[in-house]
Amino acid sequence: MKKTYCVAGHKFSVVMPDNDVAWNEMYSYEPFDCEDPSGCLFTAELLDVMPDTSGKQMVKVSCEGPDMPRIELYECNDEWLMEIAPVMEAPVRVFLLTDKAFTKARFRVLGSMHFSLGTVLMLMYAFATARKNTLLMHASVTMKDGKGYVFLGKSGTGKSTHSQLWINNIEGCSLLNDDNPVMRVMDDGEVRVFGSPWSGKTPCYHNVDVPVGAIVNLHQAKKNAIRRLSLVEAYAAMYVSFSGYRFIKEMADGLHATNEKVVSSVPCFALDCLPNAEAAWLCHKTVAQ
Amino acid sequence: MKIKKGYRLRSLGKEYILVAEGLEASDASQMVSLNETAAFLWKAVEDKEFDAAMLTQILLDEYDVARETAEKDVAMLLQTWKEAHLIEE
């Protein structure tokens, strides 16, 4: 069985056996169901046997933190092979093979189906859209008065907490996505943020999009303070908040172009904050103008 | 000395940044901002062996500046690049 989904205007298809229990793990994708499979950026097919990976050549290993997935990238018969472990110190649980244009992926799962599907589809989505004015972000996004406020910060900084502080202390706020929203520069130059099937530990899978009101980079501090970021500071804050294989020149060029457009048109701020209501009020008062 | 491999110079509006995009770069999140003159010098010696005298000469050829000022600017720039681990001996 093949199903197609549309996230931030980009379509992809998932192919798995009809009655496979893996379909039960696709609940977060249901709001993104798409009837028309034409124009898919990529297809990801679940394999029931191990693919032949003999002759693989190591390219690089990446892991963004002890609790983040470890991804070993290999070149394998003119394709990319990614061997993925759920955390830094764990055995490989997912094998992902894709052509170098990121249009056709096959994956073999040994561990948790939920983790594997999420990781495979997020990676493929990020790579396939990197040259299409699109960024798959690591951020929490709260909506207020028809605009999205994008909160950035390292893991554990309190992005989700800050979103909750807005929702609990400011009238008319709601959560768009708590972990992996999609930002996109539209053809007319407008920067919009979209919900996605990926939202970390918070079940929040809204197929909704709004213009970006502001981007706020969070830091934990002993007192609340906010300031506007320069262009270079904003670029740097964004740079570490989306991923991609930047050694692949076309991908790096695409991500750079999108990032430059975003930080040139959206106001960006740095917020030193405590996890309290005052932080949310200060932030809202400053950025929502 | 030589500039380490793995960096790419990118323009951002009127500014310049060095990003560690290549596989050779040890810290992929490293980013260094450069002014126009520093970016010009970076481009000039990106793939070659160079020394302070060579950078100074490039500056003197391009800009209307006293030798003493150029030498001082180059010394400061090299110090910054060394501290940011951008060059190897």
Side-chain angles (χ1 to χ4, degrees), chain A residues 11-203:
Chain A
K11 291 185 197 174
F12 57 90
S13 293
V14 177
V15 179
M16 300 192 289
D18 282 3
N19 297 316
D20 202 295
V21 288
W23 287 112
N24 298 339
E25 302 294 337
M26 296 294 288
Y27 52 86
S28 68
Y29 298 76
E30 279 165 22
F32 302 88
D33 264 343
C34 178
E35 294 289 310
D36 175 13
S38 65
C40 271
L41 287 186
F42 67 89
T43 300
E45 183 179 1
L46 178 67
L47 299 175
D48 54 9
V49 291
M50 266 301 286
D52 176 17
T53 61
S54 54
K56 68 183 183 185
Q57 299 271 343
M58 169 68 82
V59 177
K60 71 176 283 178
V61 182
S62 49
C63 187
E64 286 165 10
D67 300 328
M68 302 291 280
R70 182 188 78 239
I71 304 173
E72 298 166 10
L73 177 73
Y74 301 86
E75 216 168 353
C76 184
N77 307 323
D78 228 23
E79 290 196 302
W80 296 120
L81 164 68
M82 281 161 255
E83 300 192 354
I84 306 157
V87 293
M88 196 194 288
E89 303 282 342
V92 170
R93 282 285 171 263
V94 191
F95 298 82
L96 166 61
L97 270 165
T98 169
D99 63 321
K100 289 194 169 173
F102 303 104
T103 62
K104 203 173 178 317
R106 289 101 65 219
F107 62 104
R108 169 77 176 150
V109 175
L110 301 181
S112 151
M113 186 53 80
H114 186 75
F115 164 79
S116 305
L117 279 168
T119 307
V120 163
L121 294 175
M122 276 204 288
L123 285 170
M124 286 300 294
Y125 186 90
F127 298 151
T129 61
R131 282 187 290 169
K132 298 187 178 295
N133 286 315
T134 302
L135 302 172
L136 177 59
M137 302 291 301
H138 185 49
S140 178
V141 182
T142 293
M143 293 184 288
K144 158 88 177 149
D145 299 332
K147 286 188 175 170
Y149 296 93
V150 179
F151 303 133
L152 311 178
K154 291 190 189 113
S155 287
T157 301
K159 299 182 287 291
S160 300
T161 304
H162 195 73
S163 270
Q164 281 310 311
L165 288 167
W166 275 52
I167 291 160
N168 295 336
N169 296 288
I170 299 163
E171 190 77 14
C173 292
S174 63
L175 189 65
L176 174 62
N177 185 282
D178 213 19
D179 203 37
N180 298 110
V182 177
M183 258 169 135
R184 188 167 171 187
V185 182
M186 312 308 289
D187 290 343
D188 64 0
E190 185 185 41
V191 181
R192 297 185 73 86
V193 60
F194 295 69
S196 83
W198 313 292
S199 189
K201 294 183 180 104
T202 313

Side-chain angles (χ1 to χ4, degrees), chain A residues 232 235 239 247 253 256 260, chain B residues 10-11 13 15 17 21 31:
Chain A
V232 171
Y235 182 94
Y239 189 84
F247 73 91
D253 289 348
H256 165 74
E260 184 177 23
Chain B
R10 293 208 177 265
S11 63
E15 304 178 67
I17 42 172
E21 290 183 349
M31 199 173 289

Side-chain angles (χ1 to χ4, degrees), chain B residues 25-40:
Chain B
S26 51
D27 176 7
S29 64
Q30 190 190 9
M31 199 173 289
V32 180
S33 78
L34 302 184
N35 64 22
E36 202 186 325
T37 314
F40 172 74

Side-chain angles (χ1 to χ4, degrees), chain A residues 192-260:
Chain A
R192 297 185 73 86
V193 60
F194 295 69
S196 83
W198 313 292
S199 189
K201 294 183 180 104
T202 313
C204 179
Y205 314 113
H206 299 304
N207 190 357
V208 168
D209 59 287
V210 285
V212 176
I215 295 167
V216 184
N217 196 29
L218 307 181
H219 306 270
Q220 290 178 358
K222 295 216 167 71
K223 76 179 221 237
N224 296 317
I226 190 162
R227 68 178 179 91
R228 184 85 185 247
L229 290 175
S230 72
L231 195 66
V232 171
E233 288 173 321
Y235 182 94
M238 283 286 290
Y239 189 84
V240 292
S241 302
F242 56 84
S243 37
Y245 280 126
R246 291 186 170 98
F247 73 91
I248 302 174
K249 190 176 177 299
E250 301 76 36
M251 198 179 287
D253 289 348
L255 295 172
H256 165 74
T258 312
N259 190 4
E260 184 177 23

Side-chain angles (χ1 to χ4, degrees), chain B residues 1-2 4 6-7 13-16 22 28 34 37 40 42 44 47-48 51-52 56 58 60 62 65-66 70 76-77:
Chain B
M1 62 192 102
K2 220 171 166 348
K4 281 190 195 165
Y7 292 93
K14 288 180 186 153
E15 304 178 67
Y16 294 88
L34 302 184
T37 314
F40 172 74
W42 179 277
D47 348 281
K48 18 174 127 78
D51 56 20
T56 306
I58 295 169
L60 290 172
E62 181 70 16
V65 57
M76 269 172 60
L77 185 68

